[in-house]
Amino acid sequence: MLHSEFLQVLERARSLDERLSFDDLRGHAKAFISRRWVVASGHLTHILVPVLDSEQEVEVDVDDDRQTYSYLSPSSRGLLITRPLSGITLYTINVDAWMDEVCGLLEIEPSRRAHSREVIPEKLWHLGDIRVGRTHRFAPIYLARRLPSFDTDWQRALLNAKRPSQGIVLTARDVDIELPNSHQTCGVDRLLMNSGDGMAYDVELLHRLLKGVAADADDPDEYFDADTGDLKLACMAEPKTFKGKQKEVIAMFWKARQQHSLKWSEVVTRTRCQKDPDSVFGPDWSIWLERIENQRGHYRLRTRQ
């Protein structure tokens, strides 16, 4: 998918100030240029050409009128070789043009788009805050380049009190990583898709990612009594009572019901419960818990918001 391909180009670049070659654009030069995600900025003056079993550097002559370049073949005396100029054109990255398009595809309201995007230079950007369903709640949308497993700058940035919690960090590909402040990752190519009429975002996936963020007042049909261990969800005909370790696990999930999900390994660490829902609850656990699709080891209560 074109948008994730461009993010992968950014990940491979040593710096976003670096000029990229035609080959660096991974076969998508025409599409990137037409969208102004990259802009032509000069040409190579020397290139390597094959000579027998090795390569030799040669100087090139550029003909702007004909949009070609040429060089004398080092292996065939007097032979002038001419090629399309696009093969040695260099390009600067126009990351804001790409982010503008991503904001548009995600339908981030103009008033909620970030005025200053860069959070960590060349690594993390805040696109803006996306409305959660039809509520007055918003969740931040970030774009990440080379997301690490742990970095103090990342932790500090994602815990910033100026921006809401429980946001989405878009990455070049899906990564399994725990982020602070209840943020979660999502691969760009999983959220943005070709709808047939052009690019759009996956509405159902976005809803699942934001599920729980818009929780409003307490729901009389859904409750948990921490003293008795009684849990009632809209999907359950009758309340169910949990005791001991089961109650501890349910209490943890209830407290996190406004989050997207909990990772089971975190539940194990904090409650010292067994290794999976089957071991803790038996085969009926899916009545009140649901496994999160495409996020291994993540679960949440089956609340209806």
Side-chain angles (χ1 to χ4, degrees):
M1 199 273 291
L2 196 61
H3 295 77
S4 61
E5 285 287 345
F6 188 73
L7 185 49
Q8 290 184 45
V9 167
L10 300 187
E11 296 216 327
R12 286 175 170 80
R14 286 170 295 184
S15 164
L16 299 192
D17 292 328
E18 175 188 12
R19 291 190 298 173
L20 304 179
S21 70
F22 183 84
D23 290 339
D24 291 331
L25 303 183
R26 297 165 51 88
H28 299 287
K30 185 176 180 179
F32 292 167
I33 293 167
S34 69
R35 288 168 169 79
R36 294 191 60 78
W37 296 353
V38 296
V39 179
S41 178
H43 313 92
L44 294 172
T45 58
H46 295 74
I47 61 172
L48 292 174
V49 297
V51 179
L52 299 178
D53 295 330
S54 62
E55 291 181 317
Q56 182 175 326
E57 186 178 88
V58 298
E59 186 175 0
V60 299
D61 290 319
V62 172
D63 188 329
D64 287 314
D65 293 333
R66 295 184 177 181
Q67 288 293 290
T68 61
Y69 73 94
S70 58
Y71 62 90
L72 288 172
S73 171
S75 57
S76 298
R77 189 179 182 87
L79 176 63
L80 185 69
I81 297 175
T82 302
R83 297 280 187 267
L85 187 58
S86 59
I88 62 166
T89 301
L90 297 173
Y91 301 90
T92 56
I93 297 168
N94 187 6
V95 70
D96 280 317
W98 173 64
M99 291 185 185
D100 286 342
E101 187 163 327
V102 174
C103 286
L105 290 172
L106 292 175
E107 298 181 343
I108 299 177
E109 299 168 23
S111 63
R112 304 297 304 195
R113 296 187 184 186
H115 298 297
S116 178
R117 286 174 172 159
E118 194 169 65
V119 179
I120 302 176
E122 298 199 350
K123 291 183 179 180
L124 182 68
W125 297 266
H126 175 221
L127 295 184
D129 300 332
I130 195 166
R131 187 180 295 275
V132 181
R134 298 180 179 179
T135 73
H136 296 293
R137 302 284 298 278
F138 290 85
I141 302 291
Y142 296 93
L143 266 166
R145 172 176 175 259
R146 299 179 180 175
L147 183 66
S149 56
F150 179 85
D151 185 286
T152 303
D153 289 342
W154 288 82
Q155 299 289 318
R156 187 183 302 115
L158 292 173
L159 283 168
N160 192 325
K162 293 180 180 179
R163 290 181 288 274
S165 61
Q166 297 174 300
I168 300 171
V169 180
L170 298 177
T171 55
R173 61 191 67 80
D174 280 325
V175 292
D176 186 12
I177 183 173
E178 292 292 325
L179 296 176
N181 219 10
S182 300
H183 295 305
Q184 57 202 301
T185 63
C186 180
V188 171
D189 59 349
R190 193 155 62 90
L191 185 57
L192 299 181
M193 61 182 187
N194 194 326
S195 65
D197 296 324
M199 295 300 299
Y201 66 90
D202 187 326
V203 177
E204 292 185 3
L205 174 59
L206 184 63
H207 175 73
R208 290 199 301 272
L209 290 170
L210 297 176
K211 191 174 184 181
V213 175
D216 295 317
D218 291 343
D219 188 334
D221 294 326
E222 296 197 326
Y223 58 83
F224 174 67
D225 188 322
D227 294 326
T228 64
D230 290 347
L231 174 71
K232 176 65 175 72
L233 302 177
C235 63
M236 300 164 58
E238 300 291 337
K240 181 173 176 60
T241 302
F242 296 91
K243 302 290 186 182
K245 195 62 67 177
Q246 289 184 346
K247 186 170 78 168
E248 289 183 46
V249 172
I250 292 297
M252 185 172 173
F253 274 100
W254 180 258
K255 288 179 181 177
R257 67 190 183 281
Q258 294 183 22
Q259 298 180 24
H260 171 258
S261 62
L262 288 176
K263 195 168 186 179
W264 192 264
S265 59
E266 180 184 351
V267 178
V268 171
T269 300
R270 293 175 59 181
T271 67
R272 299 186 181 277
C273 69
Q274 292 167 286
K275 63 180 181 179
D276 54 42
D278 277 311
S279 304
V280 174
F281 298 110
D284 295 331
W285 61 268
S286 60
I287 295 174
W288 51 86
L289 285 179
E290 61 179 325
R291 182 185 288 113
I292 304 303
E293 184 180 358
N294 296 321
Q295 286 194 277
R296 187 176 61 184
H298 285 255
Y299 301 84
R300 74 180 311 277
L301 282 176
R302 288 186 177 275
T303 52
R304 64 184 175 187
Q305 61 257 27

